[in-house]
Amino acid sequence: MSKSKIWLSSPHMGGNEQKYIEEAFAKNWIAPLGPNVTGFEQDLESYLGEDSHVACVSSGTGAIHLALDIAGVTAGDEVLCQTFTFCGSSHPITYMGATPVFIDSEEETWNMFPKYLEEAIKDGIANGKKPKAVIAVHLYGMPAKIDEIEAICKKYNIFLIEDAAEALGSSYKNRKCGTFGDISILSFNGNKIITTSGGGALVCRDKETKDKAIFLATQARDEAPHYQHSRIGYNYRMSNIVAGIGRGQMEVLDKHVALRRENNVFYQKLFSTIEEIQLFSEPDSNFYSNHWLSAITLKKSDNQQIIENLRLFLHKFNIESRPLWKPMHVQPVYYGSKFYGNGTAIEIFKKGLCLPSGSNLTDSERDRIKNAVRMYFS
Ligand SMILES: *Cc1c(COP(=O)(O)O)cnc(C)c1O
């Protein structure tokens, strides 16, 4: 353990982050509003294009919570959520007193299987309980089959939340992730493609929804000189200090995407000679992944121990790797939840592993990874 640790995905500063923070200090903008928040929102709006409107908040999870509130989800409602995801996608459903119904993945993108989504919607309608919203995710930066998912949500008139927490910089058919559905969310947690240490954003299609999101995120204050409230709100607005980090990070976003994609090319080469392993890759040229995390799976799923032993082997060389997200419908907290699918997400979970993917990986770190992987498989 003498060599320094190689992380899965660690923060990577561009250089100007501190400058924006110093400006905030110099002008005493130490608040959950200010020029950095506005500036970061504008940067994201022009990056995403498509007439996007962005409200920055304190986390991606908080952004999903707000999106569900804006979708009109209330206690007792059902919300359809991709099962193969991080819990930040699904926990806010429970905050609303609503019930998650989990949808399996398809094998190509590992994301929501449109077929099972439609099956769940039809069942819900037949049972007199039409789902109130759908949460689709672009896992590890890989775009979901989002046009099919969007078409199904339109057909049944159901609110679509696009969880693009891992997919800033990805695109599908040349349209950026973060611009699909009714509302999209982003995350700037420490491990994401750009970070504000912690933070998130809600991306909407019109100014009214952005204003509503900001209203809800600042305790739902009515217009009055005193504090007046006619509904329950949240304290979710982003701080002007961390928004300064975000502004600096926007300057290097394209570079970070390019570097993560270079890591993926490195893994392509490395695993092309290793019989047992398949690298998770874009199904065709419609899909452009930021390759936030590069992931591998075993070609045969009957020898899972190979993958767990690889993780432990890399750990011995001080190289971090991590199993894929454990599907939500098999998490203890969600036991007994409704689920539509054929077991694909569990299958992938059992045979997969995420590898170091930071935009700050060095050549010598990549060499250490290459040597360790080759040693393991020789
Ligand atoms: C990171 C992430 C979120 C939100 O996470 P926060 O840590 O709350 O910003 C939501 N969904 C997915 C898929 C994520 O990876």
Side-chain angles (χ1 to χ4, degrees), residues 299-316:
K299 284 183 188 156
K300 294 199 208 84
S301 58
D302 52 7
N303 41 9
Q304 297 169 20
Q305 204 54 47
I306 295 178
I307 216 83
E308 175 56 7
N309 288 344
L310 172 60
R311 189 183 70 79
L312 296 169
F313 188 83
L314 293 173
H315 179 71
K316 273 195 239 150

Side-chain angles (χ1 to χ4, degrees), residues 252-355:
V252 291
L253 172 57
D254 285 337
K255 196 174 114 196
H256 284 195
V257 173
L259 289 166
R260 297 235 180 202
R261 287 179 56 86
E262 274 174 32
N263 287 334
N264 196 257
V265 171
F266 158 75
Y267 285 120
Q268 245 165 42
K269 285 198 190 118
L270 175 56
F271 288 103
S272 65
T273 57
I274 295 169
E275 190 66 42
E276 296 94 325
I277 296 294
Q278 185 159 14
L279 182 71
F280 180 39
S281 318
E282 287 117 331
D284 60 55
S285 59
N286 287 326
F287 299 83
Y288 182 89
S289 173
N290 64 12
H291 289 302
W292 170 59
L293 293 186
S294 284
I296 52 169
T297 51
L298 283 170
K299 284 183 188 156
K300 294 199 208 84
S301 58
D302 52 7
N303 41 9
Q304 297 169 20
Q305 204 54 47
I306 295 178
I307 216 83
E308 175 56 7
N309 288 344
L310 172 60
R311 189 183 70 79
L312 296 169
F313 188 83
L314 293 173
H315 179 71
K316 273 195 239 150
F317 291 88
N318 217 5
I319 299 169
E320 187 184 27
S321 64
R322 193 176 294 161
L324 306 181
W325 300 125
K326 182 176 175 179
M328 288 302 131
H329 75 285
V330 289
Q331 294 285 355
V333 73
Y334 291 124
Y335 276 166
S337 295
K338 278 196 226 166
F339 168 71
Y340 287 84
N342 61 2
T344 300
I346 290 183
E347 179 102 339
I348 299 170
F349 164 68
K350 284 183 178 166
K351 63 181 184 183
L353 193 70
C354 294
L355 298 169

Side-chain angles (χ1 to χ4, degrees), residues 97-115:
T99 307
V101 174
F102 292 108
I103 310 293
D104 211 350
S105 297
E106 33 82 12
E107 278 175 3
E108 283 190 318
T109 75
W110 297 3
N111 293 307
M112 187 176 269
F113 202 142
K115 180 177 85 172

